[in-house]
Amino acid sequence: MKQFSYRRSLQSILSFLLTLLLLLSILPVLPISAEEEKQEEPAICYAALGDSIPNGYSADSALQLENYPALLAEDLGVINQVPVQFLQYTKNGLTTTKLNTTFLAQPEVQESLGKSDVITLTIGANDLMNEFKKVSREILGNETAFHTADEAMQALQQGISDNPLLLVDVVGAITGWDYDSFEEQWLLAVSSIHTLRKTDSQMVVTTIYNPVEKAELPGTLNAVIKSLITKMNEIIYDHAEEYDYQVVDLLNSDIAAHTQSDGLHPDQQGQELIRNLVESALDMQIMQAAEISEQEQSEAAALAKERIAAEQKAAEEKLRQARQKRILQISLLMSAGLMLCLSIAVIIRKKNARKR
């Protein structure tokens, strides 16, 4: 009897254990803790806006470039020792108008700008280059649309070589470009970004460098193009304080020495050069220590004021120098125009002499 009772007890225990194992096998596995389940979230958010330059365009399809925003994002992570959310809104051929109608009109982009700690913007070169392609097509009577500015320049060089008098028409057409349209779209873009961004965010804007500096164009035409770029850059400088952004000067940098085979887009050294210039305009140490004494806070505030004052002074000096350069360029342009007129007069005189 005792043996039977023992067996029944053993069977009951085994049955209970099997039932418990079955229940455990069908129950969901719970995390040990909420902290272990939670993924590490980015502590810094960086948004890059712009054209083919920050997009890392490569004229050689076999060559992959690391663009300056990606390099900057890496450095932000290393310096602050935290994850960085890198948001890239860049596209080849983007103009200021397209920036407004595509990217800045998207709710996703607007939300991203609202949470970004750092914002960079590189735009404007395509506005000028599209006008350059349009003028080239009209002056040369070429109905075929140029896909790139390089194609337009080559056609224009050949056209002027065949008929030097075309240079007068080209210079006149480019000089007459209404760059007020650029200013209108530029102000719309930076005002939109300013409205969307956080009050404590940092924004850096790069100026336009001369994309045809290495092209073998007539000196007068080069002077006209550089004059237009200078005027466009003045617009960028003039509104920096109003919309709270730092300006990085690419026109007077060494970027033209670090372009690809197309002579227009930065190579890897060029991208790294832009990265370095942008970082010099930023406070890269975004994450601060959790605990800081009142004295350290006071010292940090004083240093910040000194830095802001120095940056404002530097911006004013750059603006003054830009205006002086503009006056000098206008003088040189007038001199070049006079020389051009004299050269044309000589050409016409020689042609008339041959006819006689």
Side-chain angles (χ1 to χ4, degrees):
M1 195 71 182
K2 286 183 179 180
Q3 187 177 4
F4 178 74
S5 176
Y6 173 77
R7 286 180 178 177
R8 288 190 60 182
S9 297
L10 183 60
Q11 288 176 349
S12 298
I13 293 172
L14 289 172
S15 177
F16 173 76
L17 290 174
L18 288 171
T19 303
L20 181 61
L21 288 172
L22 179 63
L23 287 173
L24 289 174
S25 66
I26 63 175
L27 286 174
V29 179
L30 298 177
I32 296 174
S33 68
E35 289 297 323
E36 289 183 3
E37 185 185 44
K38 184 179 178 182
Q39 294 182 349
E40 191 176 23
E41 297 181 355
I44 295 176
C45 183
Y46 163 41
L49 298 163
D51 51 29
S52 56
I53 296 173
N55 199 43
Y57 172 83
S58 176
D60 182 359
S61 58
L63 177 64
Q64 294 297 320
L65 294 180
E66 192 169 8
N67 57 55
Y68 85 79
L71 295 169
L72 175 57
E74 290 175 8
D75 289 345
L76 284 169
V78 171
I79 290 173
N80 293 277
Q81 292 297 296
V82 294
V84 175
Q85 184 180 13
F86 175 35
L87 305 168
Q88 189 169 359
Y89 304 112
T90 59
K91 185 178 180 181
N92 296 341
L94 196 71
T95 62
T96 50
T97 300
K98 288 293 185 181
L99 173 67
N100 287 312
T101 57
T102 54
F103 285 138
L104 295 181
Q106 294 180 18
E108 175 193 347
V109 178
Q110 295 172 354
E111 182 181 352
S112 297
L113 293 174
K115 66 179 182 180
S116 294
D117 302 288
V118 176
I119 300 170
T120 58
L121 174 61
T122 298
I123 199 78
N126 288 308
D127 295 68
L128 177 60
M129 297 313 295
N130 284 352
E131 183 65 21
F132 187 77
K133 288 188 285 185
K134 176 185 173 183
V135 166
S136 300
R137 189 168 59 250
E138 291 175 352
I139 298 297
L140 297 174
N142 191 335
E143 296 182 0
T144 303
F146 297 114
H147 295 291
T148 66
D150 190 37
E151 290 179 4
M153 282 189 293
Q154 290 179 9
L156 195 60
Q157 286 172 313
Q158 185 60 47
I160 293 174
S161 177
D162 295 339
N163 183 5
L165 293 177
L166 284 180
L167 180 59
V168 179
D169 296 332
V170 175
V171 169
I174 294 179
T175 304
W177 176 46
D178 179 19
Y179 61 88
D180 288 344
S181 58
F182 165 75
E183 182 171 18
E184 179 183 343
Q185 292 298 318
W186 170 263
L187 290 177
L188 178 60
V190 293
S191 63
S192 298
I193 297 170
H194 183 70
T195 302
L196 294 166
R197 57 188 278 216
K198 299 191 300 183
T199 54
D200 60 343
S201 64
Q202 301 182 73
M203 179 173 174
V204 173
V205 175
T206 61
T207 65
I208 304 165
Y209 62 88
N210 188 350
V212 297
E213 185 173 335
K214 294 172 69 175
E216 296 178 358
L217 295 175
T220 304
L221 184 55
N222 262 326
V224 170
I225 292 173
K226 188 169 184 178
S227 176
L228 282 177
I229 293 173
T230 300
K231 291 175 183 176
M232 294 171 75
N233 285 340
E234 283 181 4
I235 293 171
I236 295 174
Y237 275 111
D238 287 345
H239 300 282
E241 184 175 356
E242 180 181 1
Y243 294 110
D244 188 28
Y245 58 78
Q246 299 295 321
V247 181
V248 165
D249 180 20
L250 296 186
L251 179 61
N252 298 304
S253 70
D254 197 30
I255 190 68
H258 300 292
T259 54
Q260 300 176 48
S261 57
D262 62 359
L264 303 175
H265 295 90
D267 57 18
Q268 190 58 60
Q269 284 183 293
Q271 291 286 352
E272 292 169 5
L273 172 62
I274 300 174
R275 182 268 306 270
N276 293 336
L277 291 172
V278 169
E279 289 187 0
S280 68
L282 284 172
D283 181 1
M284 295 290 288
Q285 188 69 53
I286 295 175
M287 303 302 296
Q288 302 297 327
E291 296 181 1
I292 184 170
S293 67
E294 292 184 3
Q295 181 180 355
E296 288 175 325
Q297 288 180 345
S298 177
E299 290 175 354
L303 288 172
K305 287 181 180 179
E306 290 178 6
R307 179 175 57 80
I308 292 171
E311 289 173 352
Q312 289 177 340
K313 186 176 180 181
E316 291 172 359
E317 177 62 21
K318 285 182 179 179
L319 183 58
R320 185 187 66 79
Q321 292 177 358
R323 285 173 178 164
Q324 286 182 341
K325 286 181 181 179
R326 183 178 176 184
I327 293 172
L328 178 60
Q329 286 170 352
I330 291 172
S331 300
L332 291 172
L333 186 58
M334 291 176 66
S335 299
L338 179 60
M339 292 298 295
L340 177 62
C341 291
L342 291 173
S343 299
I344 292 171
V346 171
I347 292 171
I348 294 172
R349 186 175 177 182
K350 286 181 178 180
K351 284 186 176 181
N352 290 336
R354 288 174 184 172
K355 288 180 180 179
R356 292 175 186 174

